[in-house]
Amino acid sequence: MTSIRTILKLFVLIAVHGTNSENAFRSVPVTVKTYENETVLLPCYVDDTEGKLRVRWYKDNALLGDSMDAHTLLPPRVRMHANYSLQVDLLQAKDTADYTCEVIRPEPWGPIRQTHSIEVQYSPTVRTIPDDGFLEVRKGEYVDIGCDTTGTPTPIVNWRKNGEPMALLEHRPRLRFRAEHRLLAGVYECVVNNGVGDPVKAAIRVVIHDAPVVSAERSFVHTAVGLRAALAARLEFAVPPARTAWYRDGRPVRTDDRVVMMVQDNVHQLIFRTVRKTDLGNYTFRAENKLGMADVQFKLTGVPNIASFKVDSSLNKATATSFTLIWEVDSYSTIIEYNLWIRPYYGRLSTTEPDSFTTEPPANHWSKIVVPGDAREGPIHSAVYTVRGLTPSTVYEAIVTSRNRFGWSKPSAVLHFATEPGAGRTVPSTSEYSDISPILEESEPEAHNISQAQVFERVSELSSGARENSAAILLVALILFLQLR
Ligand SMILES: *[C@@H]1O[C@H](CO)[C@@H](O)[C@H](O)[C@H]1NC(C)=O
Ligand SMILES: *[C@@H]1O[C@H](CO)[C@@H](O)[C@H](O)[C@H]1NC(C)=O
Ligand SMILES: *[C@@H]1O[C@H](CO)[C@@H](O)[C@H](O)[C@H]1NC(C)=O
Ligand SMILES: *[C@@H]1O[C@H](CO)[C@@H](O)[C@H](O)[C@H]1NC(C)=O
């Protein structure tokens, strides 16, 4: 520490003001950067061979002492030597100032002055705004937090949010932003440093009140009579705390030994220990606080799950006019039939914007192929079907739906596949074909590489949590940007 202090005790020379009077000084103006309890000697060295001079010292323009006045004015810890140097002992923060020595010379010369500075370096201290380090606002209100600092030199303030450094463009002691989003809540910590001693920290917890947010990983829960089934809703956010309830057809669900509610780690479950036929239906989970409410809908159903195509080059046999498709589906009841929907793929490249697909509506209608189900009980059912009568070197898309005794499943994700090159074209020979307008929600055409069968995730299946997080990051960036302007 001592050695660092010695190094840091800089004597910075300041350019001499271009006045003639300065030339009479043999000392030069200095800025002394030093520490508490140290001693500093400021020179006022002039040629006094022509007799005793009168010297006055000023601290920031207030008279401190006068050589002709028996030093009576001098405050404690301050001395003036016979050679007019000013000595300040046991330095304190309040000694940081400009010190001017004024030499009053015999007539006809006027007084001359020289100014030095003392900077007593202090390690930083910090006090939060608000004082108690806690701020609660409603969504949309302004958050105004900060860290008041002391310390010499003036400390630099850096911020962290929830432990992560915040990318602010400047070191600001104050943060002001609108609580646009609940994810702006968190622990904001300032780290204050001026190179003297250790950095100090202080934290402010910002709580943002908003309507609750709920989500469900699975809103379509497929089951069968006699099985156990559970509906699960996640209470993502509830500040202030929310009242929660399960509803069926607008009425609270009645619970008993068989139908129970469970809450663990913000996941609210409605559990059917053994499903009865009367349990199948629509359910709602609702969370409500004074700022609003959020619902998430569920369907407890006996219909098959969404089928998924399997991609396996050894099984997806392609010829010029045929292609073998394989899919799997969960159903607790026997699958009665599948509907396989096929059409040529229309996602060709646009001519005006070479890198994007055309948004023209499909020229080709879906063809429906009815594929019989299997006799198995499940729960996993798989099917293999070879589509014939296709055009060579053509990309197709396919969707499959499944039916059991409870009804039709939702459609699968779109599968893209291609036929091999070849000459000629055979007449469609299999199954019943019928022209049907598309009934399915289109997924984004994004198959730039369609040299082989590919399954595309549906955009709607992206987790909402991921989207919220990126939205919040964007918001923070935007708010900070706006503030800096
Ligand atoms: C300066 O002296 C005071 C009183 O003795 C002491 O409390 C303080 O810690 C000292 N400061 C430093 C930086 O040593
Ligand atoms: C002035 O006097 C003090 C105390 O006697 C001494 O420490 C200092 O070196 C002197 N300064 C000059 C410039 O002679
Ligand atoms: C469940 O909700 C869907 C749409 O949300 C509706 O079509 C269906 O009729 C509802 N089922 C029952 C049993 O109310
Ligand atoms: C297309 O996919 C195949 C197989 O995955 C790969 O070998 C090929 O490099 C891809 N082509 C392009 C243009 O991405």
Side-chain angles (χ1 to χ4, degrees):
M1 194 65 201
T2 326
S3 63
I4 296 171
R5 282 191 174 190
T6 317
I7 294 164
L8 283 177
K9 196 190 269 186
L10 297 172
F11 288 79
V12 176
L13 302 184
I14 292 178
V16 173
H17 298 294
T19 62
N20 288 335
S21 62
E22 288 283 355
N23 296 339
F25 283 99
R26 298 211 185 148
S27 51
V28 291
V30 295
T31 294
V32 183
K33 297 195 179 189
T34 183
Y35 296 89
E36 192 183 4
N37 299 340
E38 301 276 310
T39 295
V40 164
L41 198 60
L42 298 173
C44 184
Y45 190 27
V46 286
D47 188 356
D48 62 351
T49 47
E50 313 216 335
K52 213 66 182 139
L53 299 170
R54 181 174 192 176
V55 170
R56 285 184 181 136
W57 276 95
Y58 297 85
K59 178 183 177 186
D60 285 339
N61 302 323
L63 184 63
L64 206 57
D66 186 332
S67 63
M68 293 293 190
D69 200 8
H71 304 175
T72 46
L73 284 169
L74 284 168
R77 301 186 290 107
V78 181
R79 275 183 283 167
M80 202 194 302
H81 290 294
N83 58 18
Y84 311 119
S85 292
L86 187 77
Q87 182 170 333
V88 186
D89 294 318
L90 289 169
L91 280 165
Q92 299 177 359
K94 65 182 180 199
D95 297 326
T96 294
D98 286 342
Y99 291 84
T100 302
C101 103
E102 181 184 57
V103 179
I104 294 124
R105 297 178 295 180
E107 292 295 335
W109 295 291
I112 53 172
R113 293 181 190 88
Q114 184 169 61
T115 300
H116 309 285
S117 318
I118 296 177
E119 194 180 299
V120 183
Q121 307 203 28
Y122 265 84
S123 54
T125 66
V126 62
R127 196 176 57 83
T128 58
I129 306 166
D131 256 338
D132 59 359
F134 184 78
L135 184 68
E136 244 173 328
V137 297
R138 279 190 179 206
K139 181 178 163 180
E141 289 177 347
Y142 277 88
V143 172
D144 184 349
I145 54 176
C147 281
D148 260 349
T149 65
T150 65
T152 309
T154 304
I156 285 176
V157 181
N158 282 303
W159 288 91
R160 298 167 75 82
K161 187 194 166 200
N162 296 335
E164 296 294 320
M166 293 176 73
L168 302 178
L169 294 183
E170 57 182 299
H171 302 289
R172 48 175 63 225
R174 206 79 184 242
L175 293 181
R176 290 189 191 85
F177 58 88
R178 221 171 120 102
E180 305 269 14
H181 197 283
R182 63 188 166 84
L183 293 180
L184 290 169
V187 176
Y188 290 79
E189 184 185 49
C190 59
V191 182
V192 176
N193 190 10
N194 70 351
V196 184
D198 292 328
V200 292
K201 298 173 185 176
I204 302 128
R205 195 155 77 84
V206 174
V207 171
I208 297 176
H209 289 205
D210 193 7
V213 176
V214 295
S215 69
E217 223 158 84
R218 271 170 177 278
S219 56
F220 186 81
V221 177
H222 116 279
T223 184
V225 170
L227 294 184
R228 178 187 188 276
L231 310 180
R234 177 177 287 277
L235 187 55
E236 305 268 0
F237 172 83
V239 181
R243 284 185 305 283
T244 61
W246 286 94
Y247 295 92
R248 175 168 184 189
D249 304 326
R251 278 190 296 276
V253 172
R254 231 186 273 141
T255 54
D256 52 26
D257 287 353
R258 193 179 60 82
V259 181
V260 295
M261 286 190 231
M262 248 183 65
V263 184
Q264 194 177 12
D265 298 337
N266 293 326
V267 175
H268 293 244
Q269 290 197 84
L270 183 64
I271 296 168
F272 303 85
R273 293 197 201 276
T274 49
V275 172
R276 291 184 188 159
K277 190 149 193 297
T278 51
D279 294 332
L280 302 181
N282 294 337
Y283 292 83
T284 302
F285 174 75
R286 172 169 298 174
E288 193 171 1
N289 65 16
K290 66 174 192 278
L291 294 179
M293 69 176 191
D295 280 355
V296 54
Q297 314 289 338
F298 293 87
K299 184 164 189 164
L300 185 65
T301 174
V303 307
N305 249 350
I306 296 170
S308 59
F309 284 109
K310 298 290 149 212
V311 179
D312 181 336
S313 51
S314 67
L315 298 173
N316 294 126
K317 287 193 202 70
T319 72
T321 58
S322 72
F323 194 92
T324 302
L325 296 168
I326 302 134
W327 64 88
E328 248 176 38
V329 63
D330 283 359
S331 169
Y332 292 108
S333 318
T334 307
I335 298 285
I336 299 163
E337 61 176 344
Y338 300 100
N339 277 354
L340 183 60
W341 305 81
I342 304 280
R343 71 176 177 188
Y345 182 52
Y346 63 89
R348 60 196 175 278
L349 286 170
S350 152
T351 46
T352 46
E353 288 170 79
D355 286 334
S356 66
F357 285 94
T358 165
T359 52
E360 283 168 38
N364 302 299
H365 290 304
W366 291 96
S367 301
K368 183 176 81 176
I369 303 170
V370 177
V371 178
D374 54 23
R376 271 172 296 153
E377 268 302 318
I380 307 270
H381 304 258
S382 63
V384 178
Y385 186 82
T386 302
V387 190
R388 298 182 199 284
L390 301 173
T391 310
S393 300
T394 303
V395 176
Y396 287 88
E397 45 190 355
I399 285 169
V400 67
T401 56
S402 330
R403 183 167 76 91
N404 65 13
R405 66 195 175 92
F406 293 102
W408 283 102
S409 72
K410 288 191 179 172
S412 68
V414 178
L415 176 88
H416 292 234
F417 65 89
T419 49
E420 296 282 303
R425 173 182 183 158
T426 54
V427 179
S429 58
T430 49
S431 303
E432 51 167 309
Y433 275 64
S434 58
D435 275 350
I436 303 245
S437 304
I439 53 154
L440 305 171
E441 264 184 33
E442 293 299 326
S443 53
E444 284 293 309
E446 52 188 333
H448 286 273
N449 186 349
I450 44 180
S451 63
Q452 63 179 102
Q454 288 176 305
V455 180
F456 297 100
E457 288 296 324
R458 293 187 333 151
V459 174
S460 63
E461 282 169 8
L462 281 175
S463 99
S464 63
R467 267 182 288 154
E468 273 177 1
N469 282 340
S470 50
I473 289 164
L474 260 178
L475 260 172
V476 173
L478 182 68
I479 288 160
L480 296 174
F481 170 76
L482 288 174
Q483 286 209 327
L484 291 173
R485 284 173 5 129

